[in-house]
Structure formats: structure tokens, C-alpha cells
Amino acid sequence: MSNSNMALRQRFLAGAQLVGSFLKVAHTMPAEILATVGFDFVVIDEEHSAINRESTDHIILACRASGLGCLVRVQNDDPAAILSVLDCGADGVLVPHITSAAKAKKIVDAARYRTGSRGYSATTRAGNFGSKSIAEHLRDEDERALVIAMIEDPEAVDSISQIVATTGLDGVFIGRGDLTVAYGECKAGSAPVKDATQQIVQAAQAANVRICAMSGSVQDAQALSDMGVSAFIVTSDQALLRDAARSLLQNFQDALPIQKGGAVGL
């Protein structure tokens, strides 16, 4: 994958194949590193990490400086949370536990000026700190803000046709992890989650809504792509660090004459 000058939302809506990563470390460097190797986007994870509003602001700045698409998984559907990250300059939001059309409309309205109820301020990074006219700022932000509803509850699956019919909703994220737990399962690939995934994909495609999913293997991503998924979150900064550290340590332990629990003779 390689970064593009085309805005992330426009690439997503065009069905471009996009590969991204969650960011859970409250620092700018993971984003900068992922940008150097060509990731299309990252998702700053405010829901399941210790990242706060100030950390999010710093990471968004790093993404913009690196030309890296930047979404934020906010903690909930509170319009204030959505407003905050969009004002900081995020390209859009993933919003967890959207279980109804009413909730979907709520998050779309929070992200849009002309067709919604986003609170206005142009003295933000998103507004180039007041250098844009009102008209320019409203136009640019309404075109830029990508809104993705996370479908991760059985009631959301039951209401998926109504959710994806929400005007202005750009995409859905298939939350297979949460769905696995919600259906009382413990292993990935269980029958209820497969059925739910198929329902979500079919409804989204019928409504011309794009689909994003987490995928931990190339084979799984290929299967999802064949179904119609176009945007993939394939790892996190924590997972990359853990996996690389574990592999490196094992390589050195296997190669060096070190007896575990004992000192090496000199």
C-alpha cells in the first residue's frame, strides 16, 4: 500500500483497498513509523487504550505531517467526542456500538455541518486556525469527515438494514471480536459470527455503504475482500511491538549459548 494525496474519505468511498493499523500507544512515533512504510491509515484508539484528548491531538498532528490517513475510534457516540477529534484534524471517526438507525443518524449529524448539527469553530487545526472563510470551512469539513459505524452487537445485526440506510453514513466496521463474545462464543470463526458478517456485508452492499473489518491474516483478508470488504485494520502498534520483540528474543535465545536461569561463563 502507499499513501495518496487523495483524501481518505474519497478513497474509502471509491472502494480503494486500504490497509491500516490501530494505535494504542500514547505517542506520535508509531504513527510516523507506519507512515514511512506506506500504511494507508491509522485508527487512534480512545476506546481501548490510555490515549487521552491531548495525546490524540499530538498523534493527529503527526499523521497530518506524515501524510497518513487518520481516524479516531472514540469512546462512544457522544457528539462532543466526535467534535473534538474532528476539530483536531482527524479524517473521521469509528464509533462503537451503533445498534440502531437513530444512533447512526446521531453520529452522522455530529460530524456534519450543513446536513447535521456539528458545533462550529474555524479557529482549530481543521479550520487552519481561522484562515478559512465560513463557507470554505463548512464545505471542506463536510467533504472530509469520514463516519464509520461499528457493528458489534446482535441488536445491530438485527437492525443492519435500517442502520446502513442512514443518509450520510459512509461505512460500517464489522466488529467480529465483540460479536463473538456477544453471541456467547470463545473462538474466532464461529457460525453465528460468520452468519452476522454475511448479513452485514449484504445489507451494506445493497445500500452502497463501504465496509471495514479487522483481519489478522492474509487468508482471512482475502476472504473478506472477496465478500466486498475494502478497508482492513490488520494490526496495532502494541501487537507489532510484541510480535517483533518476541521473535527477536527467541532468535537470540536460540542462537546464543545462554542457559536460562544461569549465568554465562566468561
Side-chain angles (χ1 to χ4, degrees):
M1 296 298 123
S2 61
N3 295 326
S4 169
N5 291 328
M6 187 177 181
L8 181 63
R9 180 171 180 250
Q10 278 60 55
R11 297 180 69 198
F12 180 80
L13 292 176
Q17 183 174 299
L18 304 172
V19 176
S21 171
F22 276 117
L23 295 182
K24 297 172 180 284
V25 177
H27 202 284
T28 61
M29 287 185 184
E32 295 173 90
I33 292 168
L34 292 177
T36 67
V37 300
F39 271 71
D40 294 295
F41 70 99
V42 291
V43 181
I44 300 170
D45 190 1
E46 292 186 339
E47 185 187 19
H48 290 298
S49 78
I51 293 175
N52 62 23
R53 185 178 184 183
E54 186 173 6
S55 298
T56 293
D57 184 64
H58 293 164
I59 298 169
I60 290 171
L61 177 58
C63 290
R64 289 167 68 98
S66 303
L68 179 64
C70 177
L71 303 175
V72 180
R73 175 159 69 175
V74 291
Q75 291 185 347
N76 52 51
D77 62 359
D78 183 354
I82 296 171
L83 174 65
S84 173
V85 300
L86 293 180
D87 277 354
C88 288
D91 292 307
V93 290
L94 267 70
V95 188
H97 300 291
I98 300 303
T99 55
S100 67
K103 284 192 172 185
K105 184 178 187 305
K106 178 182 178 182
I107 66 172
V108 171
D109 286 349
R112 306 273 188 254
Y113 281 123
R114 290 299 192 191
T115 59
S117 55
R118 176 176 169 180
Y120 174 77
S121 174
T123 57
T124 59
R125 183 180 296 122
N128 285 349
F129 303 103
S131 63
K132 290 184 178 182
S133 69
I134 293 176
E136 288 173 330
H137 181 59
L138 299 187
R139 179 200 64 211
D140 291 349
E141 286 301 286
D142 282 349
E143 290 178 355
R144 188 176 66 86
L146 174 58
V147 182
I148 301 175
M150 301 187 71
I151 308 300
E152 45 193 358
D153 305 275
E155 54 264 50
V157 178
D158 293 341
S159 301
I160 188 61
S161 294
Q162 292 76 34
I163 292 172
V164 295
T166 303
T167 301
L169 182 68
D170 298 313
V172 292
F173 175 92
I174 306 173
R176 293 184 292 174
D178 277 86
L179 285 170
T180 298
V181 175
Y183 283 120
E185 303 289 337
C186 292
K187 292 183 179 180
S190 63
V193 177
K194 284 185 176 180
D195 290 344
T197 299
Q198 190 65 48
Q199 290 182 59
I200 295 165
V201 168
Q202 289 176 347
Q205 288 180 321
N208 197 31
V209 168
R210 297 298 181 186
I211 310 162
C212 180
M214 183 88 187
S215 183
S217 73
V218 171
Q219 293 76 17
D220 178 63
Q222 288 173 331
L224 289 170
S225 178
D226 289 342
M227 293 175 66
V229 177
S230 59
F232 300 89
I233 302 172
V234 299
T235 189
S236 71
D237 50 1
Q238 287 178 337
L240 289 168
L241 177 60
R242 179 201 64 213
D243 293 346
R246 182 171 55 197
S247 176
L248 182 67
L249 177 61
Q250 188 63 57
N251 289 341
F252 273 86
Q253 288 176 334
D254 292 344
L256 297 176
I258 299 175
Q259 294 183 359
K260 296 178 181 178
V264 178
L266 299 178

